[in-house]
Amino acid sequence: MNIVILLGAPGSGKGTVAGKLAADNANLKHVSSGDLLRGAIAAGTAAGNEAKGYMDKGNLVPDALIAQMIKDVVAESEQSEQSNNQTILLDGFPRNLAQAEILEKMGAPVKSAVLIDVPDEIIQDRIAGRRTCPKCKAGYHVKNLPPKVEGICDHCGTALTIRKDDNPETVKDRLVVYHRETEPLIQYYSGKGLLKKVDGMTGVDNVAAAFLAAM
């Protein structure tokens, strides 16, 4: 089993690309730290309840807690029948250098880190048009990746929603945080000889193909 880390600003298409690749290839598994966190909270697991306690107080969930959720997923994947051929597309973790060091100490088999490169000015327009299925987590965009029926998920027929953190002011704040905390990971993985870069401006199918070739 291998891990490929997805890098890129919020709205660069990491989740969309990883979801498409995983849907088209049984040996690829998309693991989103955000989905893991929301799923654990909804399921009422011990880790989910602990994370909810932090979030309800307006505090960040500790790196170690999120890392434990990732570790559990990796362990589960290693025990599966497909473990020898499976690659986890890790989306949303690590978000900073501290998390990257935790992942390394965990002994996770990181094969590469692929950066989907998109300019900030494009990011803001993209995020304004994002829509998400609250049930199956499929992602859409009103212009670039519209559903077959407006406002309805192609896969499960659920009404699509807009994430709370996709409003313009929040997006600007998220980009500031990205450049301050997450962008240093580009240099971190470059220094380890693991960084690959793809142009995120060429359309979903082309980006997915380039990502697959790079990883």
Side-chain angles (χ1 to χ4, degrees), residues 1-210:
M1 189 201 73
N2 293 304
I3 291 175
V4 172
I5 295 169
L6 288 89
L7 295 177
S12 59
K14 298 187 299 297
T16 300
V17 168
K20 176 176 175 53
L21 290 174
D24 293 343
N25 191 326
N27 291 329
L28 299 179
K29 181 177 181 179
H30 178 205
V31 175
S32 162
S33 61
D35 288 346
L36 281 180
L37 191 57
R38 288 185 285 270
I41 292 172
T45 66
N49 289 335
E50 185 178 350
K52 187 175 185 299
Y54 287 101
M55 295 169 68
D56 286 347
K57 294 176 182 177
N59 297 325
L60 293 174
V61 177
D63 291 344
L65 183 55
I66 299 178
Q68 183 58 51
M69 294 183 186
I70 299 294
K71 187 175 183 178
D72 291 343
V73 171
V74 171
E76 181 182 335
S77 296
E78 287 178 333
Q79 293 171 6
S80 72
E81 294 180 359
Q82 293 180 313
S83 62
N84 290 336
N85 299 317
Q86 191 171 68
T87 295
I88 289 178
L89 305 178
L90 191 51
D91 174 12
F93 188 96
R95 287 186 183 275
N96 54 47
L97 292 174
Q99 291 183 357
E101 291 170 358
I102 289 173
L103 188 64
E104 185 171 353
K105 290 178 181 177
M106 194 187 298
V110 176
K111 178 183 179 182
S112 61
V114 183
L115 169 66
I116 300 179
D117 195 23
V118 180
D120 282 8
E121 58 269 23
I122 302 299
I123 291 290
Q124 297 187 50
D125 180 61
R126 280 189 177 183
I127 291 181
R130 290 203 308 197
R131 302 293 183 267
T132 304
C133 177
K135 184 176 181 181
C136 72
K137 311 304 179 185
Y140 300 88
H141 190 279
V142 294
K143 294 180 181 178
N144 303 328
L145 191 65
K148 295 175 182 177
V149 178
E150 185 177 352
I152 302 297
C153 179
D154 293 347
H155 304 289
C156 65
T158 302
L160 302 178
T161 60
I162 302 173
R163 286 169 42 175
K164 293 180 180 178
D165 54 358
D166 281 353
N167 69 72
E169 288 305 313
T170 303
V171 171
K172 290 180 182 178
D173 291 341
R174 291 172 66 195
L175 284 171
V176 169
V177 172
Y178 167 77
H179 289 300
R180 183 179 68 238
E181 298 185 9
T182 308
E183 198 169 55
L185 291 172
I186 296 172
Q187 185 61 39
Y188 177 83
Y189 285 112
S190 177
K192 293 180 176 295
L194 297 175
L195 184 71
K196 309 292 178 61
K197 183 185 292 188
V198 299
D199 182 357
M201 299 285 291
T202 60
V204 174
D205 290 342
N206 290 331
V207 174

